[in-house]
Amino acid sequence: MNLFRLHSMYLLFFSFVGFLACHILISIGLNPILASSLVGFTGSLSKYISKKASTIIYCSSFAAIGVLEVNQRISLLLLVPIFVWIIFRFLDNHFHGHGGKLGTIAFLSVSFLFCLVSYL
Amino acid sequence: MIFSFLFTILCSKLTFAFHKNYMVTSVQASTLVTLFSLSLLKIIDTTAVFDFDLYSKLAFGASFVGMSCPKRFKNNEVIIFSTIFYVLYYFLFEFFPFSSGLLGFLAFISVIFGTRIKLLSKKELRLPLKSKINL
């Protein structure tokens, strides 16, 4: 697994897209669950992005749901989509077909941020 | 409590059925069921008093259970997974310091537990030949 291939970078970009889109929708007052579902649904409808990209968009939108409870500094929050991307790539060939895998990836990513913030 | 439990089962079954029968991806199935559930809950919220937050979280989490692959899991297994998810939600949700991905994590644990229980029950039923003769 090479994290720096073009396809990997493409997934990193969409990880940021999903996270920021959901974060913006939540900050304007939308229900977090509604925001995440809208972002995921919109991403999955697009014909121009791959199935994996739409999956990572949905996954990173979960991470945006309660991340402000951990920390509110945007410089630290932007680490979360990077963690989502790394864990997503690592678990790409594991736990196929298991429900909740994407949520677990988001949970682990925010847990890393939580540990980092606690350490700092 | 019974109603919320049945609601959880319904959402997970709907997601699973969409994913299995209608040629939609698991992400589309989950988002469609969640959006539909939220709309329905919002309509009910305007007419009756109930815990919108609880039901919306249960719908969202149950849709993750329903995202399980239909080629790997059967319909009745999804019911078991969503039952475990419901129990885990009630006991564990309040103990975590943040909620990002928590519903998905609980859904994942319930699928893993359910799969292990299924494997253990299969091993228990298969008695070795010697013990069958002794009986």
Side-chain angles (χ1 to χ4, degrees):
Chain A
M1 184 210 66
N2 189 346
L3 280 174
F4 300 105
R5 288 175 69 184
L6 189 62
H7 178 68
S8 247
M9 292 290 117
Y10 171 81
L11 290 178
L12 175 62
F13 170 73
F14 283 109
S15 178
F16 273 99
V17 164
F19 181 81
L20 290 171
C22 190
H23 189 69
I24 289 167
L25 287 174
I26 293 170
S27 59
I28 62 170
L30 216 60
N31 179 308
I33 293 171
L34 180 61
S36 174
S37 304
L38 282 173
V39 167
F41 187 62
T42 312
S44 67
L45 283 182
S46 176
K47 290 180 195 174
Y48 303 105
I49 60 175
S50 65
K51 189 180 167 189
K52 234 174 222 180
S54 61
T55 308
I56 203 170
I57 285 173
Y58 198 32
C59 183
S60 52
S61 72
F62 300 155
I65 286 176
V67 76
L68 289 176
E69 295 163 23
V70 178
N71 193 273
Q72 299 189 6
R73 279 168 54 190
I74 195 73
S75 51
L76 285 175
L77 292 182
L78 289 177
L79 289 175
V80 173
I82 297 173
F83 292 149
V84 167
W85 169 67
I86 292 170
I87 301 170
F88 185 87
R89 293 292 287 143
F90 267 108
L91 293 181
D92 207 9
N93 296 322
H94 304 285
F95 301 111
H96 275 302
H98 281 72
K101 177 180 160 185
L102 301 179
T104 304
I105 293 171
F107 179 76
L108 289 173
S109 310
V110 180
S111 301
F112 286 149
L113 179 71
F114 182 77
C115 294
L116 189 70
V117 163
S118 308
Y119 181 70
L120 293 172
Chain B
M1 198 168 170
I2 292 171
F3 192 71
S4 55
F5 171 66
L6 291 173
F7 182 72
T8 308
I9 305 276
L10 179 67
C11 289
S12 60
K13 287 277 284 178
L14 266 175
T15 312
F16 191 75
F18 260 125
H19 184 29
K20 186 177 176 184
N21 299 316
Y22 291 99
M23 303 294 285
V24 297
T25 64
S26 54
V27 171
Q28 285 168 340
S30 170
T31 52
L32 279 169
V33 167
T34 308
L35 290 170
F36 177 72
S37 306
L38 286 177
S39 317
L40 190 66
L41 291 171
K42 203 66 191 171
I43 293 168
I44 297 171
D45 197 31
T46 57
T47 55
V49 176
F50 82 114
D51 194 347
F52 177 82
D53 191 47
L54 167 69
Y55 281 86
S56 58
K57 284 176 183 164
L58 286 174
F60 201 37
S63 72
F64 300 149
V65 175
M67 281 172 82
S68 302
C69 181
K71 289 178 188 169
R72 285 189 74 149
F73 304 108
K74 296 174 194 165
N75 269 325
N76 52 354
E77 288 167 3
V78 171
I79 296 175
I80 296 168
F81 300 157
S82 39
T83 307
I84 299 171
F85 167 76
Y86 183 77
V87 170
L88 287 175
Y89 176 87
Y90 260 99
F91 284 104
L92 297 180
F93 193 80
E94 298 299 325
F95 291 103
F96 288 87
F98 55 85
S99 55
S100 298
L102 183 55
L103 292 169
F105 179 61
L106 295 177
F108 184 71
I109 296 175
S110 56
V111 170
I112 297 290
F113 273 179
T115 316
R116 294 294 149 227
I117 290 168
K118 185 183 91 171
L119 286 172
L120 280 171
S121 62
K122 275 188 181 172
K123 278 182 187 172
E124 288 284 323
L125 288 169
R126 255 189 277 129
L127 291 169
L129 190 60
K130 253 190 181 174
S131 57
K132 278 185 187 170
I133 292 166
N134 287 338
L135 285 170

mmCIF file of all heavy atoms in Angstrom, chain B residues 42-72:
data_model
loop_
_atom_site.group_PDB
_atom_site.id
_atom_site.type_symbol
_atom_site.label_atom_id
_atom_site.label_comp_id
_atom_site.label_asym_id
_atom_site.label_seq_id
_atom_site.Cartn_x
_atom_site.Cartn_y
_atom_site.Cartn_z
ATOM 1 N N LYS B 42 -39.270 14.236 12.048
ATOM 2 C CA LYS B 42 -39.549 15.669 12.150
ATOM 3 C C LYS B 42 -41.041 15.944 12.058
ATOM 4 O O LYS B 42 -41.564 16.789 12.777
ATOM 5 C CB LYS B 42 -38.792 16.408 11.029
ATOM 6 C CG LYS B 42 -38.524 17.869 11.321
ATOM 7 C CD LYS B 42 -37.577 18.048 12.479
ATOM 8 C CE LYS B 42 -37.491 19.478 12.951
ATOM 9 N NZ LYS B 42 -36.728 19.615 14.203
ATOM 10 N N ILE B 43 -41.721 15.202 11.189
ATOM 11 C CA ILE B 43 -43.175 15.355 11.047
ATOM 12 C C ILE B 43 -43.863 14.929 12.339
ATOM 13 O O ILE B 43 -44.757 15.617 12.844
ATOM 14 C CB ILE B 43 -43.709 14.535 9.846
ATOM 15 C CG1 ILE B 43 -43.182 15.116 8.536
ATOM 16 C CG2 ILE B 43 -45.228 14.500 9.834
ATOM 17 C CD1 ILE B 43 -43.398 14.241 7.323
ATOM 18 N N ILE B 44 -43.403 13.793 12.901
ATOM 19 C CA ILE B 44 -43.998 13.299 14.149
ATOM 20 C C ILE B 44 -43.707 14.281 15.288
ATOM 21 O O ILE B 44 -44.551 14.521 16.153
ATOM 22 C CB ILE B 44 -43.462 11.881 14.498
ATOM 23 C CG1 ILE B 44 -43.866 10.878 13.417
ATOM 24 C CG2 ILE B 44 -43.982 11.429 15.857
ATOM 25 C CD1 ILE B 44 -43.207 9.514 13.557
ATOM 26 N N ASP B 45 -42.499 14.879 15.275
ATOM 27 C CA ASP B 45 -42.091 15.822 16.325
ATOM 28 C C ASP B 45 -43.008 17.047 16.382
ATOM 29 O O ASP B 45 -43.200 17.634 17.448
ATOM 30 C CB ASP B 45 -40.634 16.255 16.074
ATOM 31 C CG ASP B 45 -40.004 16.888 17.283
ATOM 32 O OD1 ASP B 45 -40.374 16.501 18.410
ATOM 33 O OD2 ASP B 45 -39.137 17.771 17.120
ATOM 34 N N THR B 46 -43.580 17.434 15.245
ATOM 35 C CA THR B 46 -44.472 18.605 15.230
ATOM 36 C C THR B 46 -45.838 18.276 15.830
ATOM 37 O O THR B 46 -46.569 19.178 16.227
ATOM 38 C CB THR B 46 -44.678 19.130 13.801
ATOM 39 O OG1 THR B 46 -45.191 18.058 12.997
ATOM 40 C CG2 THR B 46 -43.389 19.642 13.195
ATOM 41 N N THR B 47 -46.173 16.987 15.867
ATOM 42 C CA THR B 47 -47.509 16.618 16.345
ATOM 43 C C THR B 47 -47.507 15.930 17.708
ATOM 44 O O THR B 47 -48.484 15.988 18.432
ATOM 45 C CB THR B 47 -48.217 15.672 15.358
ATOM 46 O OG1 THR B 47 -47.356 14.543 15.142
ATOM 47 C CG2 THR B 47 -48.471 16.359 14.028
ATOM 48 N N ALA B 48 -46.399 15.267 18.055
ATOM 49 C CA ALA B 48 -46.350 14.529 19.321
ATOM 50 C C ALA B 48 -45.055 14.836 20.056
ATOM 51 O O ALA B 48 -44.078 15.261 19.439
ATOM 52 C CB ALA B 48 -46.443 13.029 19.050
ATOM 53 N N VAL B 49 -45.072 14.614 21.352
ATOM 54 C CA VAL B 49 -43.867 14.865 22.160
ATOM 55 C C VAL B 49 -43.077 13.567 22.273
ATOM 56 O O VAL B 49 -43.586 12.572 22.796
ATOM 57 C CB VAL B 49 -44.258 15.353 23.580
ATOM 58 C CG1 VAL B 49 -43.011 15.520 24.431
ATOM 59 C CG2 VAL B 49 -45.034 16.654 23.492
ATOM 60 N N PHE B 50 -41.858 13.558 21.746
ATOM 61 C CA PHE B 50 -41.000 12.385 21.896
ATOM 62 C C PHE B 50 -39.545 12.817 21.729
ATOM 63 O O PHE B 50 -39.267 13.960 21.370
ATOM 64 C CB PHE B 50 -41.399 11.284 20.905
ATOM 65 C CG PHE B 50 -40.849 11.464 19.511
ATOM 66 C CD1 PHE B 50 -39.933 10.567 18.997
ATOM 67 C CD2 PHE B 50 -41.234 12.535 18.726
ATOM 68 C CE1 PHE B 50 -39.416 10.736 17.721
ATOM 69 C CE2 PHE B 50 -40.716 12.711 17.459
ATOM 70 C CZ PHE B 50 -39.809 11.796 16.960
ATOM 71 N N ASP B 51 -38.635 11.903 22.020
ATOM 72 C CA ASP B 51 -37.209 12.232 22.039
ATOM 73 C C ASP B 51 -36.648 12.135 20.612
ATOM 74 O O ASP B 51 -36.178 11.082 20.178
ATOM 75 C CB ASP B 51 -36.488 11.263 22.984
ATOM 76 C CG ASP B 51 -35.087 11.723 23.326
ATOM 77 O OD1 ASP B 51 -34.575 12.646 22.657
ATOM 78 O OD2 ASP B 51 -34.496 11.156 24.268
ATOM 79 N N PHE B 52 -36.663 13.251 19.899
ATOM 80 C CA PHE B 52 -36.202 13.285 18.504
ATOM 81 C C PHE B 52 -34.722 12.919 18.416
ATOM 82 O O PHE B 52 -34.301 12.184 17.516
ATOM 83 C CB PHE B 52 -36.432 14.690 17.924
ATOM 84 C CG PHE B 52 -35.925 14.867 16.527
ATOM 85 C CD1 PHE B 52 -36.681 14.452 15.443
ATOM 86 C CD2 PHE B 52 -34.678 15.435 16.293
ATOM 87 C CE1 PHE B 52 -36.207 14.605 14.151
ATOM 88 C CE2 PHE B 52 -34.206 15.591 15.005
ATOM 89 C CZ PHE B 52 -34.961 15.172 13.931
ATOM 90 N N ASP B 53 -33.947 13.416 19.377
ATOM 91 C CA ASP B 53 -32.493 13.177 19.364
ATOM 92 C C ASP B 53 -32.180 11.688 19.456
ATOM 93 O O ASP B 53 -31.370 11.154 18.691
ATOM 94 C CB ASP B 53 -31.885 13.935 20.556
ATOM 95 C CG ASP B 53 -30.378 13.978 20.488
ATOM 96 O OD1 ASP B 53 -29.858 14.288 19.395
ATOM 97 O OD2 ASP B 53 -29.724 13.702 21.508
ATOM 98 N N LEU B 54 -32.864 11.007 20.383
ATOM 99 C CA LEU B 54 -32.631 9.563 20.568
ATOM 100 C C LEU B 54 -32.967 8.790 19.293
ATOM 101 O O LEU B 54 -32.161 7.982 18.808
ATOM 102 C CB LEU B 54 -33.485 9.047 21.729
ATOM 103 C CG LEU B 54 -33.614 7.528 21.869
ATOM 104 C CD1 LEU B 54 -32.290 6.908 22.295
ATOM 105 C CD2 LEU B 54 -34.702 7.152 22.864
ATOM 106 N N TYR B 55 -34.140 9.049 18.756
ATOM 107 C CA TYR B 55 -34.591 8.286 17.584
ATOM 108 C C TYR B 55 -33.732 8.578 16.352
ATOM 109 O O TYR B 55 -33.464 7.668 15.557
ATOM 110 C CB TYR B 55 -36.076 8.553 17.300
ATOM 111 C CG TYR B 55 -36.992 7.777 18.206
ATOM 112 C CD1 TYR B 55 -37.355 8.273 19.451
ATOM 113 C CD2 TYR B 55 -37.474 6.529 17.830
ATOM 114 C CE1 TYR B 55 -38.176 7.549 20.296
ATOM 115 C CE2 TYR B 55 -38.300 5.800 18.670
ATOM 116 C CZ TYR B 55 -38.645 6.314 19.896
ATOM 117 O OH TYR B 55 -39.454 5.588 20.743
ATOM 118 N N SER B 56 -33.281 9.814 16.212
ATOM 119 C CA SER B 56 -32.444 10.129 15.043
ATOM 120 C C SER B 56 -31.096 9.415 15.148
ATOM 121 O O SER B 56 -30.581 8.895 14.153
ATOM 122 C CB SER B 56 -32.241 11.644 14.893
ATOM 123 O OG SER B 56 -31.661 12.188 16.045
ATOM 124 N N LYS B 57 -30.553 9.337 16.369
ATOM 125 C CA LYS B 57 -29.283 8.609 16.558
ATOM 126 C C LYS B 57 -29.465 7.119 16.326
ATOM 127 O O LYS B 57 -28.611 6.468 15.709
ATOM 128 C CB LYS B 57 -28.736 8.853 17.971
ATOM 129 C CG LYS B 57 -28.112 10.217 18.150
ATOM 130 C CD LYS B 57 -27.673 10.440 19.573
ATOM 131 C CE LYS B 57 -27.128 11.842 19.728
ATOM 132 N NZ LYS B 57 -27.038 12.240 21.134
ATOM 133 N N LEU B 58 -30.573 6.591 16.802
ATOM 134 C CA LEU B 58 -30.833 5.159 16.590
ATOM 135 C C LEU B 58 -30.993 4.845 15.104
ATOM 136 O O LEU B 58 -30.484 3.838 14.611
ATOM 137 C CB LEU B 58 -32.079 4.714 17.362
ATOM 138 C CG LEU B 58 -31.928 4.581 18.873
ATOM 139 C CD1 LEU B 58 -33.278 4.273 19.524
ATOM 140 C CD2 LEU B 58 -30.923 3.500 19.245
ATOM 141 N N ALA B 59 -31.687 5.724 14.384
ATOM 142 C CA ALA B 59 -31.878 5.520 12.938
ATOM 143 C C ALA B 59 -30.531 5.541 12.216
ATOM 144 O O ALA B 59 -30.251 4.696 11.362
ATOM 145 C CB ALA B 59 -32.794 6.600 12.367
ATOM 146 N N PHE B 60 -29.700 6.514 12.575
ATOM 147 C CA PHE B 60 -28.389 6.672 11.939
ATOM 148 C C PHE B 60 -27.514 5.454 12.220
ATOM 149 O O PHE B 60 -26.931 4.865 11.303
ATOM 150 C CB PHE B 60 -27.745 7.949 12.480
ATOM 151 C CG PHE B 60 -26.663 8.549 11.631
ATOM 152 C CD1 PHE B 60 -26.726 8.540 10.257
ATOM 153 C CD2 PHE B 60 -25.567 9.166 12.232
ATOM 154 C CE1 PHE B 60 -25.739 9.118 9.481
ATOM 155 C CE2 PHE B 60 -24.575 9.753 11.468
ATOM 156 C CZ PHE B 60 -24.659 9.720 10.093
ATOM 157 N N GLY B 61 -27.448 5.070 13.503
ATOM 158 C CA GLY B 61 -26.623 3.924 13.886
ATOM 159 C C GLY B 61 -27.134 2.619 13.292
ATOM 160 O O GLY B 61 -26.341 1.788 12.830
ATOM 161 N N ALA B 62 -28.451 2.446 13.281
ATOM 162 C CA ALA B 62 -29.023 1.213 12.722
ATOM 163 C C ALA B 62 -28.756 1.118 11.219
ATOM 164 O O ALA B 62 -28.571 0.026 10.686
ATOM 165 C CB ALA B 62 -30.523 1.167 12.992
ATOM 166 N N SER B 63 -28.699 2.268 10.548
ATOM 167 C CA SER B 63 -28.405 2.232 9.103
ATOM 168 C C SER B 63 -26.981 1.748 8.854
ATOM 169 O O SER B 63 -26.705 1.149 7.812
ATOM 170 C CB SER B 63 -28.641 3.601 8.463
ATOM 171 O OG SER B 63 -27.643 4.505 8.844
ATOM 172 N N PHE B 64 -26.086 1.977 9.804
ATOM 173 C CA PHE B 64 -24.717 1.462 9.648
ATOM 174 C C PHE B 64 -24.702 -0.060 9.779
ATOM 175 O O PHE B 64 -23.967 -0.742 9.070
ATOM 176 C CB PHE B 64 -23.773 2.046 10.702
ATOM 177 C CG PHE B 64 -23.660 3.529 10.667
ATOM 178 C CD1 PHE B 64 -23.425 4.247 11.826
ATOM 179 C CD2 PHE B 64 -23.798 4.239 9.491
ATOM 180 C CE1 PHE B 64 -23.343 5.620 11.811
ATOM 181 C CE2 PHE B 64 -23.713 5.613 9.467
ATOM 182 C CZ PHE B 64 -23.483 6.308 10.638
ATOM 183 N N VAL B 65 -25.513 -0.579 10.687
ATOM 184 C CA VAL B 65 -25.621 -2.038 10.818
ATOM 185 C C VAL B 65 -26.158 -2.624 9.511
ATOM 186 O O VAL B 65 -25.668 -3.639 9.023
ATOM 187 C CB VAL B 65 -26.544 -2.421 12.004
ATOM 188 C CG1 VAL B 65 -26.766 -3.908 12.065
ATOM 189 C CG2 VAL B 65 -25.979 -1.920 13.318
ATOM 190 N N GLY B 66 -27.116 -1.940 8.929
ATOM 191 C CA GLY B 66 -27.706 -2.385 7.671
ATOM 192 C C GLY B 66 -26.780 -2.286 6.475
ATOM 193 O O GLY B 66 -27.056 -2.860 5.422
ATOM 194 N N MET B 67 -25.655 -1.552 6.630
ATOM 195 C CA MET B 67 -24.684 -1.429 5.543
ATOM 196 C C MET B 67 -23.862 -2.710 5.367
ATOM 197 O O MET B 67 -23.045 -2.788 4.444
ATOM 198 C CB MET B 67 -23.721 -0.259 5.814
ATOM 199 C CG MET B 67 -24.303 1.089 5.485
ATOM 200 S SD MET B 67 -23.254 2.448 6.025
ATOM 201 C CE MET B 67 -22.075 2.558 4.702
ATOM 202 N N SER B 68 -24.063 -3.684 6.238
ATOM 203 C CA SER B 68 -23.333 -4.953 6.116
ATOM 204 C C SER B 68 -23.638 -5.606 4.771
ATOM 205 O O SER B 68 -24.746 -5.495 4.261
ATOM 206 C CB SER B 68 -23.752 -5.910 7.237
ATOM 207 O OG SER B 68 -23.517 -5.314 8.484
ATOM 208 N N CYS B 69 -22.646 -6.285 4.235
ATOM 209 C CA CYS B 69 -22.755 -6.845 2.885
ATOM 210 C C CYS B 69 -23.788 -7.978 2.820
ATOM 211 O O CYS B 69 -23.680 -8.949 3.578
ATOM 212 C CB CYS B 69 -21.387 -7.355 2.448
ATOM 213 S SG CYS B 69 -21.389 -8.026 0.812
ATOM 214 N N PRO B 70 -24.764 -7.915 1.917
ATOM 215 C CA PRO B 70 -25.778 -8.985 1.814
ATOM 216 C C PRO B 70 -25.201 -10.330 1.357
ATOM 217 O O PRO B 70 -25.803 -11.372 1.573
ATOM 218 C CB PRO B 70 -26.758 -8.459 0.764
ATOM 219 C CG PRO B 70 -26.495 -7.014 0.665
ATOM 220 C CD PRO B 70 -25.073 -6.808 1.006
ATOM 221 N N LYS B 71 -23.999 -10.284 0.743
ATOM 222 C CA LYS B 71 -23.386 -11.553 0.308
ATOM 223 C C LYS B 71 -22.759 -12.297 1.485
ATOM 224 O O LYS B 71 -22.573 -13.508 1.441
ATOM 225 C CB LYS B 71 -22.319 -11.276 -0.744
ATOM 226 C CG LYS B 71 -22.887 -10.828 -2.065
ATOM 227 C CD LYS B 71 -21.813 -10.520 -3.079
ATOM 228 C CE LYS B 71 -22.419 -9.887 -4.320
ATOM 229 N NZ LYS B 71 -21.429 -9.341 -5.237
ATOM 230 N N ARG B 72 -22.433 -11.560 2.535
ATOM 231 C CA ARG B 72 -21.787 -12.181 3.697
ATOM 232 C C ARG B 72 -22.780 -12.507 4.806
ATOM 233 O O ARG B 72 -22.556 -13.439 5.565
ATOM 234 C CB ARG B 72 -20.744 -11.228 4.287
ATOM 235 C CG ARG B 72 -19.477 -11.117 3.503
ATOM 236 C CD ARG B 72 -18.465 -10.357 4.264
ATOM 237 N NE ARG B 72 -17.945 -11.182 5.347
ATOM 238 C CZ ARG B 72 -16.718 -11.083 5.816
ATOM 239 N NH1 ARG B 72 -15.905 -10.215 5.305
ATOM 240 N NH2 ARG B 72 -16.311 -11.826 6.812
#
